[in-house]
């Protein structure tokens, strides 16, 4: 049977068919839907959200050592977080097969950098596969696990946004039940102490040699002979783009297994074509290795290393072809940046925060990163997950050490706090900092589409579970109870007062804003705690003085045309605008 | 690639574009085509500009549509049509929903919603304009706007021999099936043969 699947759905299906029984991930675009699609196979696979990528991979490693086929998935920057166990598991090798899916984001559709994680395969000495559509995404999971077990290696399955989020037809197969491998205690293999690791490193290099032989033999790396004037070496989605441009007029070496590269096969291919191009997205990963092996080829001289590739870019670069296009004045089109939703609980807090003077606001990765946009503009930095708290601490220490009078406040979400914010908070407490930490607790992982996290009280597979109590956690790491403030972020007065009070403290301080994300389907616990009333706000045009202050809250439901107007289809009655209006011109209806 | 048709659906996050594209793709698959569809995820869902791309034919390679290549641009929001107009083939068609969603810079008064969108479009391409939002509202459910658009699209593409209503049924909740089928039919009525 054929099904129309995204690459992510296909990877999930592949895990099912390949007999995986353990999967763990931390959500991150474009990888999120992999675990979401594994979760429903409850009878066959255990799946969980981990608090961060390092934990996700470490648990998968544990499952693999225990003998189960295991999968872990994350976005490219997540692999940075998981890099520590990754490098060492490459040394020890596996018991049950282990595949790590790295979902890279060329073009940065929703990421803070564009790193090419193929280098991780080379760096950590993993085997690597690169599918170029959903069918391969599914099939390669199985192949990856076989390779992993045969060559005693974790395998990196490297996909990109266009693979993850494009749907193509996939032929489904049956699940193969793979029995858990017997676990035997094996200290020299699994204890990477220096003495053992030195021995393991020798084995790693031996295995890489074997893998290179495999790479040269497998038809995961296959040649498509056509006219030999032009030959193209390519992998991943770039293969599809190249086929789109050149069709069957040129010869291809399509690489599906890309670390170690099949240098012998590449040489053979190179020897038979007149002009050799390497078409790859982002970095010259293949090209560099080919050139180092003395193979003449054309790559990044023509194909850009910045941004997402597409057939147009290839056609223009190599064929010097440009398509005729409809011309029009682009100046007419107004930008449409993403915004915090109408009624987003982060808005009220950011609105009040944006009014504070002489403040540095260190931000983090999540919906609330959008608080950096106009008109709220309430964020000075955004580095990586968790850096709001720790970068805030560093900034505050540097300011006070150097006699600069500036307040520092770090804002972070609930999921992100569990991910890597709590360690930053420990740092603040231990090293006697006083940067204010704000945990924007919207009761869910908002940005990636509403995944459960340790604070929500539910697991990925829908079971009720213990919910971590954030205030108690903060207390446990050493923040004094009187320095922990829990507020409703939709209450502007409270936000204002609490920010001021926190700034006045000389000790570690935490503000926790509690209100569910408006897009979240409320849990029974949410309804009990936050109620469920349906009101909206309306502008009383008589009273409106057209001062435009309400539009400064950045709510997408408020527009302005002589008088303020609230879109009733969008408004959820958070009443932040009502509180902001100095003329009481906004009223609630439907209470 | 010759023989491959390219459909670009554009609009704003939350308008139901992804569902419409899914139904469209399933219809094309049932008609025996190879289909690839590319969607936008992540931040763009928070009220940002959204596009999905559907390509179909005997054999499709790239899942994305380049500039100057779309046979048809179906736009759920007026200004978005302009943003993506450079993707339309010369001689291609535009189906546009006469519906405005002001973006953040417009809401805060930093910019103005472009005034003459429809006339620009009509000057540049063969354009069908209609008010899907009003039709959907009349049917009693503004959220069926996406299916009205889908109806218009299938008609404009001449994709008549597909069992659209059956596919629609498999993709929406039972209590919304009727209103969605009406929306589909109304949408089809908007476009001439
Ligand atoms: S999804 Fe939730 S958290 Fe994200 S912007 Fe919307 S309301 Fe805010
Ligand atoms: S803040 Fe009040 S008075 Fe000012 S524009 Fe908005 S509704 Fe009118």
């Amino acid at each position: 049977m054929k099904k129309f699947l995204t690459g992510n759905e296909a990877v999930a299906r592949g895990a099912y068919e390949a007999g995986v029984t353990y999967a763990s991930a931390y959500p991150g675009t474009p990888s999120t839907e992999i675990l979401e699609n594994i979760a429903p196979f409850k009878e066959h696979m255990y799946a969980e959200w981990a608090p961060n990528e390092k934990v996700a991979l470490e648990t998968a490693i544990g499952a693999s050592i225990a003998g189960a086929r295991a999968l872990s998935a994350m976005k490219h920057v997540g692999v940075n977080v998981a890099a520590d166990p990754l490098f060492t598991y490459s040394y020890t090798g596996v018991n049950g097969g282990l595949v790590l899916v790295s979902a890279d984001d060329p073009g940065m559709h929703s990421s803070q950098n564009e790193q090419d994680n193929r280098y991780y395969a080379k760096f950590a000495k993993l085997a690597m596969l690169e599918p170029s559509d959903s069918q391969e995404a599914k099939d390669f999971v199985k192949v990856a696990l076989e390779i992993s077990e045969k060559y005693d290696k974790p395998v990196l399955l490297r996909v990109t946004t266009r693979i993850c989020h494009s749907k193509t037809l996939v032929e489904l197969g049956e699940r193969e039940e793979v029995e858990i491998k017997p676990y035997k205690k094996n200290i020299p293999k699994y204890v990477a102490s220096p003495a053992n690791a030195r021995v393991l490193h020798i084995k790693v290099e031996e295995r890489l040699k074997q893998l290179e032989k495999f790479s040269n033999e497998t038809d995961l790396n296959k040649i498509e002979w056509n006219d030999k004037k032009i030959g193209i070496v390519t992998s991943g989605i770039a293969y599809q783009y190249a086929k789109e441009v050149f069709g069957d007029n040129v010869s291809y070496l399509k690489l599906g297994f890309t670390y170690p590269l099949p240098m012998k096969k590449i040489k053979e291919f190179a020897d038979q074509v007149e002009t050799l191009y390497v078409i790859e997205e982002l970095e010259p990963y293949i090209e560099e290795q080919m050139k180092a092996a003395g193979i003449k080829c054309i790559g990044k001289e023509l194909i850009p290393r910045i941004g997402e590739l597409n057939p147009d870019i290839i056609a223009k670069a190599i064929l010097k072809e440009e398509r005729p296009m409809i011309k029009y004045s682009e100046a007419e089109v107004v930008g449409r940046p993403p915004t915090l939703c109408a009624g987003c609980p982060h808005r009220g807090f950011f609105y009040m925060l944006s009014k504070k003077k002489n403040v540095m606001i260190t931000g983090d990765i999540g919906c609330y990163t959008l608080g950096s946009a106009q008109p709220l503009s309430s964020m000075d930095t955004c580095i990586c997950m968790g850096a709001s708290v720790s970068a805030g601490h560093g900034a505050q220490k540097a300011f006070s050490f150097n006699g600069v009078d500036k307040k520092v406040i770090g804002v972070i979400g609930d999921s992100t706090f569990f991910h890597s914010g709590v360690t930053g908070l420990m740092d603040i407490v231990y090293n006697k900092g006083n940067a204010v930490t704000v945990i924007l607790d919207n009761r869910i992982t908002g940005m990636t589409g509403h995944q459960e996290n340790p604070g929500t009280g539910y697991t990925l597979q829908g079971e009720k579970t213990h919910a971590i109590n954030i205030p108690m956690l903060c207390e446990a790491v050493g923040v004094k109870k009187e320095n922990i403030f829990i507020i409703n972020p939709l209450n502007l007065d409270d936000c204002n007062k609490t920010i001021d009070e926190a700034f006045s403290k000389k000790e570690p301080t935490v503000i926790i804003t509690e209100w569910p994300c408006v897009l979240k389907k409320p849990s029974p616990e949410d309804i009990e705690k936050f109620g469920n009333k349906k009101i909206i706000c309306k502008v009383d045009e008589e009273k409106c003085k057209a001062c435009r202050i309400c539009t400064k809250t950045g709510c997408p439901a408020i527009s302005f045309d002589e008088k303020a107007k609230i879109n009733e289809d969008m408004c959820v009655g958070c009443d932040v605008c009502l509180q902001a209006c100095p003329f009481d011109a906004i009223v609630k209806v439907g209470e | 690639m010759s023989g491959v048709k390219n459909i670009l659906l554009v609009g704003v996050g939350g308008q139901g574009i992804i569902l419409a594209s899914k139904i469209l793709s399933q219809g094309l698959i049932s008609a025996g085509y190879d289909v690839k569809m590319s969607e936008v995820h992540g931040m763009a869902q928070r009220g940002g500009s959204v596009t999905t791309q559907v390509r179909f034919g005997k054999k499709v390679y790239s899942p994305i549509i380049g500039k100057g290549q779309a046979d048809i641009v179906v736009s759920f929001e007026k200004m978005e049509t302009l943003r993506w107009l450079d993707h339309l083939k010369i001689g291609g068609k535009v189906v546009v929903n006469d519906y405005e969603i002001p973006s953040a810079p417009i809401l805060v008064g930093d910019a103005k919603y472009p005034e003459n969108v429809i006339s620009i479009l009509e000057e540049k391409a063969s354009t069908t304009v209609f008010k899907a939002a009003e039709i959907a509202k009349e049917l009693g459910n503004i959220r069926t706007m996406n299916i009205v658009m889908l109806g218009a699209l299938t008609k404009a593409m001449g994709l008549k021999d597909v069992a659209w209503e059956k596919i629609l049924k498999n993709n929406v909740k039972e209590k919304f099936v009727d209103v969605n089928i009406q929306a589909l039919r109304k949408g089809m009525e908007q476009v001439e043969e």
Side-chain angles (χ1 to χ4, degrees):
Chain A
M1 192 182 57
K2 280 204 171 181
K3 264 191 124 175
F4 195 50
L5 302 179
T6 62
N8 283 347
E9 289 165 343
V11 169
R13 177 75 199 187
Y16 164 77
E17 289 179 11
V20 166
T21 54
Y22 185 93
S24 181
Y26 180 78
T29 314
S31 70
T32 311
E33 300 83 8
I34 295 173
L35 262 274
E36 287 183 331
N37 284 288
I38 288 181
F41 292 111
K42 270 184 215 173
E43 275 169 40
H44 300 97
M45 291 188 268
Y46 169 80
E48 66 171 36
W49 291 129
N52 67 33
E53 294 85 356
K54 178 174 185 286
V55 175
L57 180 60
E58 285 163 347
T59 63
I61 287 173
S64 158
I65 295 175
R69 286 194 160 181
L71 176 144
S72 185
M74 53 202 60
K75 69 181 296 176
H76 59 324
V77 290
V79 179
N80 302 334
V81 179
D84 195 2
L86 182 62
F87 279 62
T88 300
Y89 202 48
S90 178
Y91 270 41
T92 65
V94 307
N95 185 20
L98 181 125
V99 50
L100 169 66
V101 186
S102 168
D104 295 8
D105 190 16
M108 291 177 279
H109 294 272
S110 52
S111 308
Q112 64 272 36
N113 74 37
E114 210 170 26
Q115 72 192 42
D116 188 333
N117 275 8
R118 294 180 300 172
Y119 287 107
Y120 263 118
K122 191 160 180 266
F123 193 7
K125 301 173 186 291
L126 311 167
M128 172 164 62
L129 292 160
E130 281 187 80
S132 65
D133 61 14
S134 299
Q135 180 73 53
E136 288 187 349
K138 191 206 77 169
D139 296 343
F140 283 15
V141 173
K142 192 168 172 203
V143 181
L145 287 159
E146 286 162 2
I147 293 172
S148 174
E149 285 168 2
K150 181 159 177 219
Y151 293 92
D152 201 10
K153 259 228 158 287
V155 176
L156 186 69
L157 185 76
R158 191 260 190 173
V159 287
T160 54
T161 303
R162 284 298 163 189
I163 301 287
C164 295
H165 290 163
S166 293
K167 288 195 175 215
T168 69
L169 286 164
V170 179
E171 183 71 52
L172 301 188
E174 297 293 323
R175 176 171 169 98
E176 169 199 345
E177 289 299 344
V178 180
E179 263 182 46
I180 179 162
K181 288 198 174 170
Y183 168 71
K184 272 200 306 288
K185 186 166 175 164
N186 187 345
I187 292 173
K189 178 170 164 70
Y190 293 118
V191 179
S193 61
N196 292 337
R198 284 182 204 114
V199 180
L200 290 171
H201 190 180
I202 298 166
K203 290 196 185 151
V204 168
E205 300 302 331
E206 278 165 11
R207 278 190 223 119
L208 282 179
K209 287 223 175 73
Q210 293 161 18
L211 275 163
E212 186 173 351
K213 190 162 168 275
F214 169 79
S215 182
N216 280 306
E217 286 161 4
T218 174
D219 57 6
L220 294 165
N221 296 326
K222 59 168 180 265
I223 295 176
E224 294 173 27
W225 286 122
N226 295 305
D227 192 308
K228 293 185 175 176
K229 265 209 187 69
I230 293 180
I232 291 173
V233 179
T234 181
S235 73
I237 194 73
Y239 165 74
Q240 305 288 0
Y241 298 156
K243 284 286 272 196
E244 181 78 28
V245 174
F246 300 100
D248 292 336
N249 300 320
V250 303
S251 295
Y252 299 90
L253 172 52
K254 177 193 179 297
L255 301 177
F257 186 88
T258 46
Y259 194 76
L261 283 174
M263 221 34 100
K264 226 177 92 204
K265 201 179 256 181
I266 295 175
K267 272 196 187 123
E268 278 165 25
F269 181 73
D271 285 345
Q272 295 191 50
V273 297
E274 267 174 49
T275 314
L276 183 62
Y277 293 101
V278 183
I279 300 183
E280 58 189 324
E281 200 168 41
L282 296 181
E283 295 298 313
Y285 163 82
I286 299 171
E287 181 186 341
E288 275 174 359
Q289 294 181 62
M290 281 170 59
K291 286 189 171 155
I295 301 169
K296 246 184 83 189
C297 57
I298 306 166
K300 292 295 160 189
E301 303 93 304
L302 295 179
I303 308 284
R305 74 198 293 165
I306 299 171
E308 196 177 26
L309 207 55
N310 65 42
D312 287 345
I313 295 173
I314 297 173
K316 201 169 150 190
I318 298 181
L319 300 174
K320 315 290 172 217
E321 242 177 37
E322 237 174 303
R323 281 202 184 78
M325 266 191 297
I326 295 174
K327 298 257 182 307
Y328 66 100
S329 133
E330 279 166 46
E332 298 264 352
V333 188
V334 183
R336 193 182 291 279
T339 51
L340 294 172
C341 302
C344 174
H346 304 326
R347 177 173 290 101
F349 187 82
F350 278 141
Y351 178 64
M352 292 323 282
L353 186 56
S354 68
K355 294 178 178 295
K356 300 291 168 202
K357 300 271 170 335
N358 199 23
V359 174
M360 174 178 178
I361 306 162
T362 49
D364 224 294
I365 315 280
C367 279
Y368 45 88
T369 314
L370 298 171
S372 62
Q374 276 183 335
L376 296 166
S377 307
S378 43
M379 205 164 282
D380 294 40
T381 67
C382 172
I383 317 285
C384 69
M385 280 231 168
S388 57
V389 187
S390 36
H393 172 69
Q396 179 268 319
K397 282 285 177 188
F399 285 143
S400 31
F401 191 82
N402 295 299
V404 180
D405 170 36
K406 214 176 187 49
K407 301 277 180 223
V408 180
I409 184 165
V411 287
I412 189 165
D414 46 339
S415 184
T416 315
F417 182 68
F418 297 126
H419 178 281
S420 47
V422 65
T423 43
L425 187 60
M426 289 179 204
D427 191 26
I428 292 183
V429 174
Y430 166 56
N431 288 306
K432 303 180 179 181
N434 67 354
V436 177
T437 300
V438 184
I439 302 164
L440 302 161
D441 180 7
N442 64 356
R443 321 300 299 169
I444 201 79
T445 314
M447 171 82 122
T448 41
H450 304 95
Q451 289 74 31
E452 306 293 347
N453 67 46
T456 65
Y458 290 87
T459 69
L460 166 61
Q461 291 185 307
E463 275 175 46
K464 248 183 103 67
T465 182
H466 176 75
I468 297 204
N469 182 308
I470 297 177
M472 274 167 65
L473 176 59
C474 295
E475 232 185 295
V477 305
V479 184
K480 289 186 188 147
K481 201 171 183 159
E482 66 265 28
N483 292 340
I484 299 173
F485 304 92
I486 302 169
I487 58 168
N488 170 357
L490 300 176
N491 184 324
L492 299 186
D493 273 347
D494 265 5
C495 290
N496 190 33
K497 273 195 248 139
T498 313
I499 296 169
D500 285 344
E501 190 169 351
F503 280 153
S504 74
K505 301 258 177 183
K506 296 274 172 285
E507 293 173 322
T509 318
V510 174
I511 301 173
I512 301 163
T513 73
E514 274 184 353
W515 198 264
C517 163
V518 287
L519 296 189
K520 180 189 179 190
K521 189 168 170 270
S523 66
E525 294 78 14
D526 290 336
I527 293 175
E528 198 186 310
K529 188 163 176 184
F530 302 100
N532 198 14
K533 53 179 176 180
K534 299 247 180 305
I535 55 158
I536 62 168
C537 294
K538 241 187 142 97
V539 178
D540 179 343
E541 291 209 355
E542 302 270 291
K543 285 188 178 169
C544 176
K545 298 264 192 302
C547 69
R548 286 176 174 257
I549 287 178
C550 54
T551 66
K552 298 278 181 292
T553 62
C555 176
I558 301 177
S559 56
F560 191 87
D561 187 15
E562 282 169 28
K563 300 268 164 149
K565 193 170 176 292
I566 296 173
N567 179 330
E568 53 186 71
D569 294 333
M570 288 167 86
C571 180
V572 295
C574 74
D575 82 23
V576 163
C577 58
L578 181 149
Q579 298 168 63
C581 173
F583 303 102
D584 296 327
I586 299 179
V587 291
K588 287 190 202 180
V589 288
E591 208 160 358
Chain B
M1 269 310 278
S2 59
V4 173
K5 292 266 182 231
N6 300 317
I7 308 174
L8 195 69
L9 297 96
V10 305
V12 177
Q15 282 193 291
I17 298 178
I18 292 187
L19 178 65
S21 317
K22 261 184 206 156
I23 297 170
L24 172 67
S25 302
Q26 284 175 17
L28 293 166
I29 290 167
S30 75
Y33 293 108
D34 184 22
V35 182
K36 286 193 178 176
M37 166 183 158
S38 184
E39 6 177 294
V40 168
H41 276 244
M43 269 206 172
Q45 287 172 310
R46 310 277 173 261
S49 167
V50 162
T51 154
T52 65
Q53 323 192 346
V54 178
R55 309 191 68 220
F56 67 101
K58 244 184 101 198
K59 172 78 192 153
V60 182
Y61 291 111
S62 163
I64 54 173
I65 300 171
K67 289 183 178 176
Q69 245 190 328
D71 294 277
I72 183 164
V73 171
V74 185
S75 177
F76 289 49
E77 200 276 349
K78 216 162 59 179
M79 181 171 74
E80 292 309 310
T81 338
L82 280 190
R83 195 186 311 282
W84 294 93
L85 194 59
D86 57 356
H87 279 64
L88 190 69
K89 228 180 221 163
I90 289 183
K93 274 189 204 172
V94 172
V95 175
V96 52
N97 181 12
D98 190 356
Y99 184 64
E100 293 181 7
I101 303 177
S103 66
I106 297 168
L107 291 174
V108 301
D110 284 351
K112 272 217 143 50
Y113 196 96
E115 263 167 21
N116 40 0
V117 175
I118 301 291
S119 59
I120 299 176
L121 292 174
E122 281 172 340
E123 191 186 302
K124 308 275 181 192
S126 142
T127 305
T128 306
V129 190
F130 67 103
K131 295 187 184 300
E134 277 176 24
I135 295 168
K137 253 190 192 156
E138 263 165 41
L139 293 173
N141 189 339
I142 176 100
R143 305 197 64 181
T144 62
M145 186 160 64
N146 58 344
I147 304 302
V148 177
M149 295 301 298
L150 177 70
L153 162 65
T154 56
K155 183 77 171 291
M157 293 291 290
L159 296 165
K160 283 184 294 206
D161 303 331
V162 176
W164 292 112
E165 298 190 2
K166 203 180 122 213
I167 293 163
L168 191 57
K169 265 185 208 155
N170 296 336
N171 279 284
V172 297
K173 284 209 189 102
E174 211 184 302
K175 63 175 178 183
F176 296 120
V177 168
D178 285 342
V179 61
N180 274 292
I181 287 182
Q182 284 177 40
L184 186 82
R185 290 182 188 163
K186 285 273 183 202
M188 288 178 169
E189 284 168 22
Q190 302 305 310
V191 179
E192 288 163 29
E193 287 285 326

